[in-house]
Each structure stands twice: as C-alpha cells, then as structure tokens.
Amino acid sequence: TQRLAGKTAFITAAGQGMGRAAALAFAEEGAQVWATDINADALSTLDHPRIRTRVLDVRNSAEVALAAADIGAISVLFNCAGFVHNGNILQCSEDDWDFSVDLNLSSMFRVTRAFLPAMLEHGGGSIINMASMASSLKGFPNRFVYGTTKAGVIGFTKAVAADFVKQGIRSNCICPGTVDTPSLRGRIASAADPVQAEKDFIARQPMGRLATVDDISPLLVYLASDESKFVTGAALSVDGGVTI
Ligand code: NAD
C-alpha cells in the first residue's frame, strides 16, 4: 500500500535536488503534491500525474500568502529552499547575510505561518524543514552564515513543535551531509581547483562517498507519513557519519 495515500504535500524548492526528489518520492507513495520553485523551467520537467507545479519565490510574502490561500489545507509541508554562501564572517557582507537569513530561515517562517492555520483547522499535519549537518550540530570552514541559518532552522523547528504538539502538528527537520545535487556540482565547478574540491567534499564524508538524493528521500517519506506519528521536534541526521 502507498504510504502517503490521501495526503497533500506542499514543497518549496522542488525544481531540482532534494526537493525535486521528495516531490517524486511523495507522489510515488500516493500523495497529491504541490511542487513549487522560483525556477519555472526546472518545474516544467517534473512529469507525474499526482504532481502539480506552481512558480513560487519563498522570499516574496505576497506570493506565499496567495499560494496558501489558493491551495488551502495540506497535510505535509516541506520547507526545502536554501542557499549555501561560501565564506567566513569577514567574507560575508551585510547583503550576503540578509539574503541567506531571508532565504534559509525567514522563508520558513513566512511559508509555515501562511499554511499552518488551514493545517490546524484540518486536524494537523507534518512540517519538515531542511536544516543541515552544518548548523548547531557542527561547524564547518566557510559555512559562516549558512551554518548560522541552519542552526536557526533547528530552533525554529523545535519552537513550532512545542507550540502545536497538542493540536496534531508535528515539526521536524533533517540534517543531511554532503549531497550530490546541481548546486553542489556548482560549488565544485566554481572552486579554484574543482578536482581537488570534489575530493575534499568526499573526504569529509566518513563513508567515502557523497550522498545521492535517494539516500535522503526515504527519511522525508517517513517524516511525511503516519509512520513517524510519535516523532516531533527532532533534528534527524542523515550525514553518512560526519557527526558521529
Ligand atoms: P539545489 O540547491 O541544487 O536547488 C535549490 C533549488 O532552490 C533550485 O531549484 C532553486 O531554483 C530553488 N530556489 C532558489 N531560490 C528560491 C526561492 N527564492 N524560492 C523558491 N525556490 C528557490 O538543491 P539541494 O542541494 O538539494 O538543496 C536543497 C536544500 O537542502 C537547501 O536548503 C540546502 O541548503 C539544503 N542542503 C543541501 C545539502 C547538499 O549538500 N546539497 C546538504 C544539506 C542541506
């Protein structure tokens, strides 16, 4: 039987990477999926009878409010959008800071605040937020504002979990290791020495390889499904042993 039959899922940043893989995995498990992204071209290649797409910039409050009003009640909200700024504090301008805080953290506030009332009216649901091993779990070089925002995601996740635990809302986040996605390939390609950069990314993974999106999707399906009904406020690592 399909593990997400009867559920409606809303996903941000579903055009590529882990968000896209989650959209396809949720749909395969029977969910009706709203796959959203700022990139219309990326969305247009998502082809599944249970996936509907919608262009959405999670930094735009008016667009987010309109999406929530149009779509109404959902049972699963996956806040996936985020951006990796490369650099330490001295290499992070105020604009860099504001951009990353807004995209990685404020967007989750915006989207969750917009969708939560209808979720509550319909008896609850599962909120899944994208954090990272680079967060309060562990510091990494050149992940200054990134790690700061992802630590914020863990706090955000627990705060929402605490406030709505008695009303059927579960709020969890996942903390992946290094995942082979288009943006990771971009970070490798833009390094001074791309061959060495790829080796370095692999070297920091104790299992000796990068994760694929298929290493991550099963955890997302689990959190979206009722199998995880006793799980809330958790920051679940899926990092191939980096934070052992
Ligand atoms: P990705 O970075 O390759 O793709 C990100 C997607 O986000 C793109 O489709 C892009 O169009 C979309 N996007 C960008 N700005 C947006 C906006 N304002 N509104 C809506 N969509 C927007 O995918 P990924 O690497 O799987 O990353 C997804 C999430 O996972 C991010 O939050 C990232 O920080 C996090 N993460 C990634 C890794 C990794 O190693 N790849 C590890 C841990 C956590």
Side-chain angles (χ1 to χ4, degrees), residues 9-217:
F10 181 90
I11 305 176
T12 69
Q16 66 183 39
M18 286 180 268
R20 181 190 184 88
L24 291 164
F26 288 4
E28 275 304 292
E29 288 293 350
Q32 298 291 336
V33 177
W34 281 99
T36 72
D37 199 286
I38 198 172
N39 183 341
D41 290 343
L43 288 177
S44 71
T45 62
L46 267 172
D47 183 23
H48 191 286
R50 278 187 293 276
I51 297 181
R52 277 170 292 184
T53 62
R54 180 176 176 123
V55 176
L56 177 72
D57 176 0
V58 294
R59 302 189 61 214
N60 184 320
S61 294
E63 276 183 29
V64 169
L66 199 59
D70 286 352
I71 290 167
I74 53 172
S75 23
V76 178
L77 168 59
F78 177 25
N79 288 308
C80 182
F83 170 76
V84 180
H85 174 267
N86 186 54
N88 63 31
I89 187 171
L90 300 177
Q91 295 158 334
C92 180
S93 69
E94 283 211 33
D95 283 349
D96 293 335
W97 170 273
D98 288 344
F99 177 83
S100 284
V101 170
D102 191 58
L103 177 52
N104 296 4
L105 185 57
S106 305
S107 74
M108 297 196 182
F109 160 65
R110 215 170 268 135
V111 175
T112 305
R113 196 168 189 274
F115 279 92
L116 187 55
M119 290 176 89
L120 286 166
E121 265 171 42
H122 284 78
S126 173
I127 300 169
I128 309 166
N129 300 316
M130 179 58 82
S132 172
M133 65 179 179
S135 59
S136 48
L137 299 184
K138 186 171 167 62
F140 287 85
N142 296 316
R143 290 293 178 266
F144 161 65
V145 69
Y146 183 73
T148 302
T149 59
K150 293 300 189 182
V153 170
I154 295 176
F156 171 86
T157 300
K158 288 176 178 282
V160 171
D163 281 332
F164 296 99
V165 63
K166 295 196 189 306
Q167 292 166 75
I169 298 286
R170 296 185 297 108
S171 169
N172 295 287
C173 62
I174 70 162
C175 303
T178 315
V179 188
D180 197 347
T181 65
S183 72
L184 181 83
R185 287 290 150 196
R187 288 191 284 286
I188 290 170
S190 64
D193 180 348
V195 174
Q196 188 58 44
E198 179 167 14
K199 283 187 187 150
D200 291 346
F201 275 122
I202 294 169
R204 72 181 194 180
Q205 292 296 135
M207 288 186 183
R209 68 171 180 89
L210 303 176
T212 70
V213 294
D214 297 328
D215 291 317
I216 312 302
S217 297

